[in-house]
Amino acid sequence: MNPRTNPRTNPRTNPRTNPRTSNRTNRRMKLVVVSAGLSVPSSTRLLADRLAAAVDRRTPADIQVVELRDLAVEIAHTFTNGFAGKALAAAQDAVAGADGLIVVTPVFSASYSGLFKSFFDVLDKDALVGKPVLIAATGGTARHSLVLEHALRPLFAYLRAVVVPTGVYAASEDWGAEGLPERIERAAGELASLATGLSAAGAHAPGGSGNDASDGFETDAPGGFEVVPFEDQLAKLSPSAV
Amino acid sequence: MQFGIFTVGDVTPDPTTGRTPTERERIKAMVAIALKAEEVGLDVFATGEHHNVPFVPSSPTTMLGHIAARTENLILSTSTTLITTNDPVKIAEDYAMLQHLADGRVDLMMGRGNTGPVYPWFGQDIREGINLAIENYALLRRLWREDVVDWEGKFRTPLQGFTSTPRPMDDVPPFVWHGSIRSPEIAEQAAYYGDGFFHNNIFWPADHTKRMVEFYRKRFAHYGHGTPEQAIVGLGGQVFMRKNSQDAVREFRPYFDNAPVYGHGPSLEEFTEQTPLTVGSPQQVIEKTLSFREYAGDYQRQLFLMDHAGLPLKTVLEQLDMLGEEVVPVLRKEFAKGRPADVPDAPTHRSLLAAKAAHDADARAGKDAEDAKDADAKEKEATAV
């Protein structure tokens, strides 16, 4: 880890040693994490947890995670019934009352998932006004990384949230590559600083750019049943074919 | 026909108590479940392989070797072995070793794995999943069948003069199943080699399973391994039973409603209607399982998922008692009815060894005949001169 981003050694971002921060915040930051991953476990949730932990290291926070999968039926019912069920209503209250928000979605069909969008569709339109939001997404390849900029950022701009400059995109390959931890730290620093009213300057760290494509947990090709003769598949892999 | 159980090895909280078993408890529970399977007369125990929490079975041959030492008849298998991210050389060695220790009671089910990050964690690229499965398995087959292998491929360092040790028991490699839910390429691979095809249908409607199995059967015949009806098919299933079906529903519902794989989606009733999940009396389980034959044909292996959704070990062992005593004996009898004589059983070490002996004997007889003909011809030549 870059020492400059380590809150334990960096007085500017460590609230325990920074009098400005500790004076400002007598209570802990209320951090709400909205995760739209569908698998259990999901790489979307994995990314969400990493981001939340990184924010917590800078600004100790009470973290509440909202798993949209658990609310899927209530969200759907809200569209037809017109009112939120108990669990969804509690999640909406938590989001509205948060000091900062981390939102993470898998990429579906070149955008946020429908479930992710649906949650914000049934949220009060003023619930996010002025609220610091860290946007993040996961996918199967880096080719969808700009989904953060062309889908998530406009959505939260419309809702008049304050979106932190760094969005974090994790493709499957990023879990075994360099760069992701640095992007997580940088974005977390920005969110922590915004939520506590500090400059994010001290939180910057160099980071790679990698980003991605579909839900990272999907490995099977869609079930077309056309026959590719097995010899052809084998031959394609033989070293002489290259 | 073989009946058995397969386990994912998930560590899931019991929703009725809120208690999560420790990893050690879960691992020991898996072993207890396997021993119970043997005790109640089931044929197969298969363990999953996972390299991420909340799953414990990262080292299947360690667990299966331990179970092998404590059982006599149970066939030990996997559900699945990750042919994409494991080194095929290590699979060849590990499972040959296990085969010796288990006196041949071993087969494997190959799968690709569906957890995105596991690929890069093991130095692979998920987008190459199918190609990894094809190349790695082709190498694995050679390592088990050829004493010295020279090999070069796309994904692994080349091998020169490599011998995988120990050699398979009796020079008979373990039988291999290929598990896939949605990929016809894998059904095609199973068909090409004449290997088994396992469709893990537990979350899928019958018409999808039917299409995949039909595809595999057709291609099995295409590659000359027999008729479509003779292809080697396995299916999954998951059940929860009590004598009285209302009791089963009442007891299982909180598990269903909260399980990571089921919960907060369709209702228990919707799910049981659309998938193999059966919650009810042993008789209902029998009827539902027998109905699989209507769309999959006469098949060879039925594996049940019994230890899911955070059910406590005691309950799972009770379920296995019922499965072994009340369900499987009836299934054996009923599935045997009307089953054509030329539909084979799933291959075992013993049947493969017998087939090999017959094949070798044929080859020898053929060679003797050739030799006799040669001698004859030489004699004639000599007399002509």
Side-chain angles (χ1 to χ4, degrees), chain B residues 299-365:
Chain B
Y299 62 109
Q300 281 73 17
R301 176 174 280 188
Q302 172 64 48
L303 297 184
F304 292 101
L305 177 65
M306 304 298 288
D307 61 337
H308 53 152
L311 288 169
L313 175 61
K314 180 171 169 291
T315 306
V316 175
L317 297 179
E318 288 165 7
Q319 293 292 309
L320 289 173
D321 276 329
M322 274 187 269
L323 188 68
E325 286 161 20
E326 299 176 43
V327 174
V328 166
V330 181
L331 290 178
R332 285 194 202 280
K333 216 163 57 195
E334 292 298 320
F335 272 124
K337 284 184 189 160
R339 191 182 177 94
D342 64 347
V343 170
D345 286 330
T348 60
H349 184 77
R350 189 178 298 171
S351 76
L352 292 170
L353 184 60
K356 179 174 180 288
H359 180 266
D360 290 354
D362 279 359
R364 228 176 301 121

Side-chain angles (χ1 to χ4, degrees), chain A residues 40-41 69-70 73 141 172-173 175-176 216-221 223-225 227-231 233-234 237 239, chain B residues 52-53 55 112-114 116 120-121 126-127 131 134 152 182-184 188-189 192-193 211-212 219 223 260 263-264:
Chain A
V40 179
R69 187 193 193 284
D70 296 352
V73 173
T141 88
S172 289
E173 65 214 44
W175 297 101
F217 276 63
E218 184 41 83
T219 61
D220 278 352
F225 281 74
V227 177
V228 181
F230 194 73
E231 287 93 339
Q233 299 210 39
L234 266 181
L237 292 168
Chain B
N52 55 322
V53 289
F55 307 104
R112 277 171 295 148
N114 63 356
W121 283 334
I126 193 166
R127 290 167 297 187
N131 286 335
I134 290 171
E152 197 181 329
R182 272 171 294 187
S183 304
E188 170 78 2
Q189 180 187 33
Y192 176 80
Y193 291 113
R211 286 181 67 207
M212 287 294 287
R219 299 300 291 169
Y223 286 114
H264 312 286

Side-chain angles (χ1 to χ4, degrees), chain B residues 90-163:
Chain B
K90 197 71 171 78
I91 296 177
E93 295 182 336
D94 281 347
Y95 284 87
M97 184 80 180
L98 177 64
Q99 200 192 20
H100 284 282
L101 291 170
D103 299 314
R105 292 183 286 129
V106 173
D107 58 44
L108 295 85
M109 193 200 307
M110 299 300 170
R112 277 171 295 148
N114 63 356
T115 306
V118 171
Y119 284 77
W121 283 334
F122 284 79
Q124 300 296 353
D125 181 344
I126 193 166
R127 290 167 297 187
E128 295 282 7
I130 294 271
N131 286 335
L132 282 161
I134 290 171
E135 178 174 299
N136 285 349
Y137 182 62
L139 171 57
L140 174 62
R141 283 182 66 88
R142 288 192 57 196
L143 292 167
W144 275 339
R145 285 167 175 80
E146 298 170 34
D147 285 343
V148 181
V149 171
D150 292 339
W151 178 89
E152 197 181 329
K154 194 173 164 195
F155 299 111
R156 192 196 184 284
T157 50
L159 296 168
Q160 301 297 339
F162 178 75
T163 299

Side-chain angles (χ1 to χ4, degrees), chain B residues 278-296:
Chain B
T278 314
V279 182
S281 65
Q283 186 55 36
Q284 285 173 296
V285 169
I286 290 166
E287 282 162 22
K288 178 79 159 254
T289 310
L290 286 173
S291 77
F292 295 175
R293 180 163 58 169
E294 289 162 21
Y295 54 83

